[in-house]
Amino acid sequence: MIPATEMIFRARQFEVAFPRPALVMGIVNVTPDSFSDGGKFLDAAAAAAHALKMVELGADLLDIGGESTRPGAAPISEAEELQRVIPVIQKLAARVSVPLSIDTTKPAVARAALQAGASIVNDAGARIAGEAMWRAVAEFQAGYVCLHSQGTPATMQANPVYADVVLEVGEFFEERLEAMTRRGGIAPEQVALDVGIGFGKTLEHNLQLLAHLQSFGRFQRPLLLGVSRKSFIGHLLGAGVDERLPAALVCASLAVESGVQIIRTHDVAETVQAVRMAEAVLARKKN
Ligand code: PT1
């Protein structure tokens, strides 16, 4: 068994001490295809209700996103993204005590979300936005998820190429961590790292990363992983998007064994069950 790393993750008023049982982050998609009911108010209300349900089911964090980052997804305007996510964050900030994360690549959206009560910026564009995003994170002393991607959602799956994906993702984390802490005003304690499964990666790249998650423990920062419903599972197993939960739970369990501390998922109850089971067994392993 890997020695558990002692570390703190800070996100505004929240302070999470590790080692501890893995955290489950519930996905709150505020996109027309997820919660559309015609009117904006209903969309926000439905998304918030779904989020509250996930907290009841055991979500430790909620990740609210208005712009899809699925492969091929079209970008949306800043105004549209704000209109989608801010009402949901406002509703949730008043009703839940778990940290809220804003899933965005736009600094202005991150800033508005933090103002509305979010505590973490989940930056799927960590390669792109840089300084402006860091300023918002630093100002609010928010948590920051630094996600590795190659390209943008519109084009990232066209032809992703790496000489060594595990090495290159590690180099990216090293470079970004150095830059955001030296020039960005962000403390290492505010940062979590995410290899970005499906963000400009082939099936083989995703499997390589999952097999070597342990190696990213060297950064001594919490690792976050999102595999929920992703197409690499479909490519390996021929499973449709609604048939991928068992495989995603296996990935989550293996990730926990590899030292991942935060699992991002649509399926909170099932993921909580999987990681608690894995942890119960792992706790009994002799060093
Ligand atoms: C993720 C993640 C995310 N994933 C974090 N944030 C998405 N921190 C959105 C597919 O191949 O893993 N970590 N925010 C969703 N992105 C994708 C990517 C969804 C690929 C689907 C696929 O199906």
Side-chain angles (χ1 to χ4, degrees):
M1 166 111 175
I2 338 121
T5 315
E6 285 193 29
M7 59 191 166
I8 304 267
F9 178 62
R10 274 185 233 284
R12 302 189 75 177
Q13 73 270 36
F14 296 98
E15 189 178 293
V16 186
F18 299 96
R20 54 146 291 143
L23 300 164
V24 172
M25 172 185 260
I27 299 171
V28 187
N29 281 326
V30 199
T31 51
D33 45 318
S34 322
F35 287 106
S36 192
D37 215 336
K40 292 278 179 244
F41 173 75
L42 276 177
D43 292 354
H50 177 65
L52 291 175
K53 180 80 194 165
M54 287 197 289
V55 172
E56 278 173 36
L57 294 173
D60 301 292
L61 308 153
L62 292 172
D63 188 36
I64 298 103
E67 179 174 63
S68 176
T69 50
R70 291 182 166 276
I76 59 167
S77 73
E78 190 176 294
E80 175 67 29
E81 195 174 338
L82 286 166
Q83 222 175 75
R84 289 183 189 179
V85 294
I86 300 305
V88 178
I89 292 173
Q90 284 169 339
K91 281 182 205 300
L92 291 175
R95 286 173 181 71
V96 302
S97 56
V98 302
L100 304 178
S101 153
I102 173 68
D103 186 346
T104 189
T105 58
K106 298 185 183 75
V109 173
R111 195 174 281 278
L114 293 167
Q115 260 146 14
S119 305
I120 299 169
V121 175
N122 177 21
D123 183 6
R127 189 178 280 287
I128 309 148
E131 315 267 334
M133 191 63 109
W134 297 341
R135 270 196 297 281
V137 172
E139 227 170 85
F140 285 84
Q141 300 202 46
Y144 181 73
V145 181
C146 173
L147 178 140
H148 177 276
S149 66
Q150 187 178 93
T152 63
T155 59
M156 65 190 179
Q157 288 307 114
N159 182 29
V161 176
Y162 302 84
D164 181 334
V165 69
V166 175
L167 194 93
E168 287 170 45
V169 170
E171 284 171 354
F172 169 77
F173 288 156
E174 194 171 321
E175 188 273 323
R176 293 279 91 178
L177 269 171
E178 163 90 2
M180 74 181 84
T181 54
R182 303 250 327 235
R183 321 195 296 271
I186 296 176
E189 288 70 30
Q190 288 167 263
V191 184
L193 303 173
D194 188 328
V195 299
I197 295 295
F199 285 85
K201 282 127 188 154
T202 62
L203 168 61
E204 181 60 26
H205 296 142
N206 289 314
L207 293 173
Q208 286 286 343
L209 287 167
L210 289 171
H212 295 94
L213 288 169
Q214 239 190 89
S215 73
F216 304 108
R218 69 182 186 276
F219 297 107
Q220 303 200 35
R221 297 311 312 142
L223 301 177
L224 194 154
L225 186 78
V227 296
S228 193
R229 299 181 188 171
K230 286 189 180 175
S231 56
F232 77 103
I233 297 173
H235 290 137
L236 183 72
L237 302 167
V241 68
D242 295 326
E243 305 166 341
R244 296 174 187 167
L245 178 58
L249 296 178
V250 170
C251 293
S253 311
L254 290 169
V256 165
E257 181 165 27
S258 301
V260 169
Q261 293 90 349
I262 309 172
I263 306 289
R264 181 182 182 276
T265 183
H266 300 88
D267 303 291
V268 168
E270 293 84 350
T271 302
V272 168
Q273 188 181 84
V275 302
R276 290 296 92 84
M277 190 73 228
E279 286 162 351
V281 175
L282 292 169
R284 286 161 178 80
K285 279 209 184 187
K286 302 222 163 51
N287 286 309

